Amino acid sequence: MTTILAIESSCDETAVAISRDGREILSSVVLSQAEMHALYGGVVPEIASRKHIESITDLTRTALSEANLTAKDLDAVAVTYAPGLIGALLVGVGFAKGYAYANGLPLIPVHHIRGHIAANYIAFPELKPPFVCLVASGGHTLFVDVKDYTKFEILGSTRDDAAGEAFDKCARVLGLPYPGGAEMDRLAAQGDATRYKLPRANIRGEELDLSFSGLKTAVINLVHHAEQVGEEIVKPDLAACFTDAVCDAIVPRAIEACRRAGRKTFVIAGGVAANSHLRARLQKEADRAGLTTYFPPLSLCGDNAAMIACQAYFEYQAGVRAGLDLNAYATMAVDEEPKL
Ligand code: KG4
Ligand code: ZN
């Protein structure tokens, strides 16, 4: 039996969770700072770091008490060490190092995107690699061939903005509060997806790569132009058109990624994977292509530490250990060897 306590602090959620043998989650606590950052229309890195420092000790106590455990019951401490906001990551890494040292526990570094993928192992006990996973979050959008629990290959990714970033920016120009992804989802459900013409980007020679910056700029220009000529933007319609453009970019590439990798199982992960329109379109096309799909519950799409605690088990099994000189990294590809 392997019990792991995991810390997640890569962006604006401070989270602690405890896993048993990977897939069983004994406790999981998440403290979102979103309301605080909403005042500024986006995440303020320095505020994020300070808030992590304020809450990480209490959250760890809560996670232990909810699981009815003490430090003596743990086999390892895990922490998200990349990618993310460097100051925010360093809070988690520093805390995890201290906790591991004080309690004589091994330290396991976990890649945030690997954690998002692992959220599916919690939701679906029968799910095993290999499979193709679409990871769509606030900072990343990529197709990954998950060859094994700790072996990954990137099949395609965004060249510029992540889908979540584009959702949040579009929401912002429409005057919706940060983070606007979920509200865009609700608005799009009532909108007419044919009213506004928005661009779709193709990257010659790299058919599985994506680009969302042109779409983002087109939305900003459209809204500014409307303001200048005194036209009213129909918000649900723009949300629907925008969502349609994002789906047009992601859905066919997801199916093609499965075909190229020779996988019959398709999985999704990350905050944008909560989008109901994207899920419906992916489900339809995956069914048509004869793929088996796993779409995690919304509670496991956004940032949490349960997914980190789950992936940590597989890293632990693979022998991954960090020393007390472990660093945090703002950027790191999901298929890179762990930097220990
Ligand atoms: O995975 P996540 O919680 O954090 C990162 O690692 O980035 O993703 C957050 C992103 C935000 O951009 C948020 O607006 C977006 O996920 N998001 C959504 C929805 N729910 C959250 N985007 C579209 N539709 C949603 N329902
Ligand atoms: Zn994330």
Side-chain angles (χ1 to χ4, degrees), residues 23 117-125 127 129 131 146 149 310-311 314:
R23 296 175 189 250
I117 296 169
N120 285 282
Y121 300 135
I122 301 168
F124 308 108
L127 176 65
F131 54 81
V146 183
Y149 292 103
C310 178
Q311 180 62 23
F314 296 110

Side-chain angles (χ1 to χ4, degrees), residues 29-340:
V29 287
V30 183
L31 187 70
S32 174
Q33 308 170 357
E35 245 174 61
M36 172 99 38
H37 298 291
L39 295 171
Y40 306 94
V43 178
V44 182
E46 187 56 26
I47 294 178
S49 311
R50 283 164 192 247
K51 290 283 145 195
H52 288 314
I53 292 173
E54 282 172 21
S55 56
I56 201 159
T57 309
D58 279 347
L59 284 175
T60 303
R61 282 200 191 104
T62 308
L64 281 164
S65 76
E66 283 189 5
N68 245 325
L69 299 177
T70 68
K72 288 191 182 55
D73 302 309
L74 302 175
D75 295 294
V77 176
V79 63
T80 303
Y81 77 129
L85 300 171
I86 193 67
L89 285 166
L90 280 167
V91 174
V93 168
F95 181 83
K97 280 186 199 178
Y99 197 85
Y101 181 64
N103 294 291
L105 296 167
L107 180 64
I108 308 165
V110 178
H111 189 285
H112 183 75
I113 300 298
R114 293 188 183 196
H116 270 300
I117 296 169
N120 285 282
Y121 300 135
I122 301 168
F124 308 108
E126 72 281 15
L127 176 65
K128 290 188 177 72
F131 54 81
V132 164
C133 184
L134 157 70
V135 184
S137 72
H140 301 87
T141 306
L142 62 164
F143 303 107
V144 187
D145 184 20
V146 183
K147 295 168 186 282
D148 207 338
Y149 292 103
T150 57
K151 286 204 170 46
F152 306 83
E153 185 186 339
I154 298 173
L155 302 167
S157 63
T158 180
R159 293 292 187 95
D160 38 58
D161 298 337
E165 212 173 321
F167 263 106
D168 292 343
K169 186 49 74 74
C170 185
R172 190 167 159 174
V173 297
L174 288 178
L176 309 174
Y178 171 86
E183 185 58 23
M184 288 280 289
D185 195 344
R186 275 190 290 276
L187 271 183
Q190 311 143 25
D192 168 9
T194 62
R195 180 185 293 265
Y196 302 107
K197 291 266 162 301
L198 294 172
R200 273 79 170 146
N202 287 307
I203 295 151
R204 194 174 301 141
E206 300 290 346
E207 290 83 6
L208 294 182
D209 278 359
L210 303 141
S211 165
F212 292 111
S213 70
L215 174 62
K216 187 178 82 178
T217 308
V219 169
I220 294 169
N221 288 344
L222 197 136
V223 173
H224 286 175
H225 177 75
E227 274 165 12
Q228 277 162 6
V229 300
E231 259 171 33
E232 186 90 20
I233 287 284
V234 186
K235 290 184 185 182
D237 291 356
L238 186 53
C241 293
F242 173 86
T243 305
D244 211 39
V246 172
C247 291
D248 280 351
I250 291 177
V251 177
R253 287 178 176 84
I255 306 301
E256 176 62 11
C258 293
R259 195 192 64 77
R260 287 196 191 179
R263 306 294 182 211
K264 281 286 173 202
T265 305
F266 175 63
V267 174
I268 62 175
V272 180
N275 188 272
S276 62
H277 312 277
L278 181 61
R279 283 177 173 240
R281 291 263 307 261
L282 284 169
Q283 189 67 62
K284 194 167 152 216
E285 293 309 316
D287 288 347
R288 203 192 298 241
L291 301 171
T292 304
T293 54
Y294 292 92
F295 294 176
L298 303 196
S299 59
L300 283 167
C301 287
D303 287 348
N304 64 83
M307 66 189 199
I308 304 300
C310 178
Q311 180 62 23
Y313 171 75
F314 296 110
E315 303 286 345
Y316 182 82
Q317 294 281 84
V320 176
R321 304 284 185 279
L324 293 178
D325 55 353
L326 175 70
N327 206 350
Y329 301 89
T331 56
M332 185 188 290
V334 68
D335 53 357
E336 260 180 63
E337 284 297 310
K339 282 196 185 127
L340 304 171

